[in-house]
Amino acid sequence: MMLSNIVLVGMPGSGKSTVGVILAKLTSRDFVDTDILIQKTDGRSLQNILDEDGYLALRSIEERMLCGLECRNHVIATGGSAVYSRAAMEHLRADGIVVFLDVDLAVLESRELSLDSRGIAKRPDQSFAELFEERFVLYSAYADLVIACSYLSHEKVCAHVMDSLRHYFSDKP
């Protein structure tokens, strides 16, 4: 495969972090979880950033961190709101392939996501369903590959990603 980074995008609870760790092992790449980078850099949890500064501040911090991210041969699990920044997504796409882990809203809602403490950058008046609809369009627009993974184990998701990557690159001149 002739790519550097594999960039995972998707809703909170879609499995980006867990799939990312497994995928990094399978592809002999390092793993970066950008939510953890933000927390380490800022010295606060995502939820604390939201509570103290608001959702737009978290998105701004995320954009700066993503635009400054310089790595090769990594699997990168982005925060769910990374797709709000065109600059960040273009930066990530410049040296990688964007994989959208697509999980149905009903499946996400059935998972115990701790939405009130998870640090999700959304408007205070916005429901999770509204957030899903808004972000789905963005994930789809930036994705090079879309993996339908609502009812798959993390290992099966990784197998589908690997297979999709092989097909993606075999179809390229």
Side-chain angles (χ1 to χ4, degrees), residues 119-168:
I120 298 172
K122 67 176 189 65
R123 293 187 324 268
D125 65 328
Q126 193 173 34
S127 72
F128 190 72
E130 291 167 334
L131 184 71
F132 177 88
E133 287 181 35
E134 181 177 275
R135 289 185 181 181
F136 183 86
V137 173
L138 297 169
Y139 297 138
S140 299
Y142 285 113
D144 296 301
L145 298 172
V146 177
I147 307 298
C149 48
S150 291
Y151 302 101
L152 301 177
S153 68
H154 294 119
E155 291 76 13
K156 291 242 188 232
V157 171
C158 289
H160 282 280
V161 170
M162 298 290 289
D163 191 47
S164 295
L165 287 169
R166 278 190 286 281
H167 283 92
Y168 181 82

Side-chain angles (χ1 to χ4, degrees), residues 102-117:
D102 182 14
V103 178
D104 297 338
L105 177 60
V107 172
L108 290 171
E109 289 178 331
S110 73
R111 295 180 178 172
E112 306 243 348
L113 298 179
S114 305
L115 298 176
D116 295 334
S117 62

Side-chain angles (χ1 to χ4, degrees), residues 52-112:
E52 295 170 13
D53 302 329
Y55 76 99
L56 291 176
L58 177 55
R59 287 184 187 171
S60 178
I61 292 167
E62 182 174 42
E63 179 180 57
R64 281 194 311 276
M65 193 276 308
L66 289 171
C67 287
L69 188 63
E70 295 296 331
C71 58
R72 295 187 56 77
N73 297 314
H74 283 67
V75 174
I76 302 168
T78 65
S81 59
V83 292
Y84 287 108
S85 170
R86 177 183 298 270
M89 292 307 298
E90 287 176 1
H91 177 73
L92 292 169
R93 289 182 89 190
D95 196 27
I97 187 165
V98 176
V99 179
F100 170 26
L101 301 184
D102 182 14
V103 178
D104 297 338
L105 177 60
V107 172
L108 290 171
E109 289 178 331
S110 73
R111 295 180 178 172
E112 306 243 348

